[in-house]
Amino acid sequence: MRVLASAPAKIILFGEHSVVYGKPAIAAAIDLRTYVKAEFNKNGRIRIEAKDIRTPGLTVSFSEDQIYFETDYGKAAEVLSYVREAINLVMKEADKQRGVTVSITSQIPVGAGLGSSAAVAVATIGAVSKLFGLELTPEEVAKLGHKVELLVQGASSGIDPTVSAIGGFLYYQKGSFERLPVIELPIVVGYTGSSGSTKELVAKVRKNYEEMPEIIEPILTSMGKLVEKAREVILAEYDREIKFKLLGTLMNINHGLLDALGVSTKSLSDLVYASREAGALGAKITGAGGGGCMYALAPRKQSEVATAIKIAGGMPMITKISREGLRIEEAEK
Ligand SMILES: Nc1ncnc2c1ncn2[C@@H]1O[C@H](COP(=O)(O)OP(=O)(O)OP(=O)(O)O)[C@@H](O)[C@H]1O
Ligand SMILES: C[C@@](O)(CCO)CC(=O)[O-]
Ligand SMILES: [Mg+2]
């Protein structure tokens, strides 16, 4: 049997990092996907083929106590840890051990704040669970995806695997979510081209928090409050212009607070300011930061903002919200 599953990237509109401390956040799935094909093999090993991760052509096989590298790139085992943990968790859930080959192709830049780790975990859980005959609901896949992130990163709010598994536009807090109405958001994502590790950035914020809780706690509380405000604005009956203006202001405040937490970089802030100067109503980091992506809200100014991002040295992407989360593309007997 062979199963092909896919899961989307996400942007965090408001509330990254503070969500790890139990505050709410708002995120949306977007139309970039990771595809995972899973099939049984006869040699009893787990074989992972990651075709487009930065270590090109990476293939790793492992059995219970050994890892077989078919390329000699140093950090291979670590790079594939999300996929390995996802396969292990599904096998535990199914209470079965069999040789499985998993092949991954992805449209999502890695370490760029667009949830590539969650998408690869969710698509792997989707494909492998179907292969083992488990019928998991998207919520169950999201919970397993959260476990994978906790195992690999040490800390995770679970927002990324939840939005990747469920799709659409979500308000999320401590493992629970509410679907928000999907509004067409005129956004532009700007990619700095550099990457940041979510594990390291979450640890950096934790260190500051532990050293200076009296300074960091109020920042996190403000972030939580601005997310509540953003939810109110999204659900209100205002006309679109007013809504976008208010959301833009909240984005700018959120960016300033993320900068105060130490997760922005010069390139990210350059793209943020270039977008605002080109007419965006708001611009902020999306995801863990330390490199990766920002996004701008730019009604009727998307192409101007895209050009400004390019001139400032970034790569603009005009994306749409994806209503669909995890998708089983094919399941062949
Ligand atoms: N196509 C892929 N194949 C295999 N592993 C992948 C793939 N894409 C992402 N990963 C895993 O996810 C890691 C990057 O995850 P990380 O959480 O640091 O960034 P992100 O998920 O892209 O951004 P963010 O968490 O800020 O949204 C990679 O180092 C790798 O372990
Ligand atoms: C930085 C963070 O808040 C978002 C990463 O996309 C981490 C998490 O919520 O698990
Ligand atoms: Mg991630």
Side-chain angles (χ1 to χ4, degrees):
M1 189 177 173
R2 201 169 72 109
V3 181
L4 178 67
S6 75
K10 60 88 225 249
I11 56 169
I12 297 197
L13 290 124
F14 299 98
E16 49 278 270
H17 286 290
S18 42
V19 68
V20 178
Y21 295 78
K23 316 288 182 211
I26 295 173
I30 57 170
D31 57 359
L32 294 172
R33 289 190 160 256
T34 296
Y35 293 82
V36 172
K37 188 176 77 182
E39 53 201 323
F40 290 123
N41 66 38
K42 295 216 165 69
N43 65 22
R45 286 188 205 156
I46 309 296
R47 183 184 164 91
I48 303 168
E49 299 169 1
K51 300 203 173 70
D52 43 11
I53 194 139
R54 220 159 262 172
T55 38
L58 184 64
T59 301
V60 173
S61 307
F62 63 95
S63 65
E64 256 171 61
D65 50 3
Q66 271 177 299
I67 296 177
Y68 307 85
F69 295 99
E70 284 166 36
T71 52
D72 57 359
Y73 293 100
K75 292 181 92 184
E78 197 186 325
V79 164
L80 293 183
S81 50
Y82 289 92
V83 183
R84 287 177 57 190
E85 295 296 355
I87 298 170
N88 284 338
L89 277 182
V90 172
M91 287 196 180
K92 259 195 213 147
E93 199 73 19
D95 203 16
K96 281 183 204 147
Q97 286 279 330
R98 277 186 72 174
V100 174
T101 299
V102 163
S103 322
I104 304 155
T105 51
S106 182
Q107 303 166 337
I108 309 173
V110 177
L114 300 181
S116 71
S117 62
V120 83
V122 165
T124 303
I125 294 164
V128 178
S129 62
K130 183 93 185 160
L131 190 69
F132 278 89
L134 290 176
E135 291 298 332
L136 301 179
T137 63
E139 284 82 355
E140 287 167 334
V141 172
K143 292 247 157 17
L144 288 178
H146 186 191
K147 270 196 194 161
V148 169
E149 286 208 337
L150 285 172
L151 285 166
V152 179
Q153 292 169 199
S156 156
S157 67
I159 190 170
D160 291 3
T162 302
V163 75
S164 185
I166 308 287
F169 197 15
L170 304 183
Y171 170 88
Y172 178 93
Q173 188 170 23
K174 288 188 196 154
S176 304
F177 65 88
E178 171 195 350
R179 278 179 197 280
L180 296 175
V182 174
I183 44 179
E184 283 307 321
L185 287 172
I187 60 172
V188 184
V189 173
Y191 179 30
T192 56
S194 64
S195 63
S197 152
T198 298
K199 180 179 176 173
E200 286 166 21
L201 288 146
V202 168
K204 179 179 178 184
V205 174
R206 172 69 60 188
K207 186 167 175 287
N208 284 344
Y209 179 82
E210 279 165 4
E211 281 172 7
M212 294 174 275
E214 70 285 13
I215 311 283
I216 304 297
E217 181 58 48
I219 298 177
L220 300 172
T221 301
S222 282
M223 286 174 155
K225 286 190 178 146
L226 79 82
V227 173
E228 295 296 0
K229 183 83 190 158
R231 176 180 169 277
E232 261 172 57
V233 171
I234 290 163
L235 294 174
E237 299 282 316
Y238 304 141
D239 75 47
R240 283 164 64 88
E241 299 300 311
I242 296 176
K243 238 179 214 195
F244 289 157
K245 216 158 174 274
L246 288 168
L247 290 175
T249 302
L250 291 168
M251 286 168 68
N252 293 339
I253 296 170
N254 202 165
H255 181 77
L257 294 173
L258 285 164
D259 200 0
L261 285 186
V263 300
S264 192
T265 62
K266 180 174 183 306
S267 328
L268 275 169
S269 287
D270 284 349
L271 302 191
V272 162
Y273 284 97
S275 301
R276 291 182 197 161
E277 275 165 21
L281 297 177
K284 68 177 272 291
I285 291 170
T286 186
C293 293
M294 47 68 69
Y295 85 97
L297 182 64
R300 292 183 306 279
K301 294 274 184 187
Q302 275 167 296
S303 65
E304 287 88 338
V305 168
T307 305
I309 287 174
K310 219 185 270 172
I311 292 169
M315 260 173 275
M317 299 181 246
I318 296 182
T319 54
K320 284 203 307 289
I321 294 184
S322 163
R323 287 169 197 268
E324 263 186 303
L326 172 66
R327 196 157 76 197
I328 302 297
E329 308 275 349
E330 287 166 30
E332 278 173 19
K333 285 267 170 214

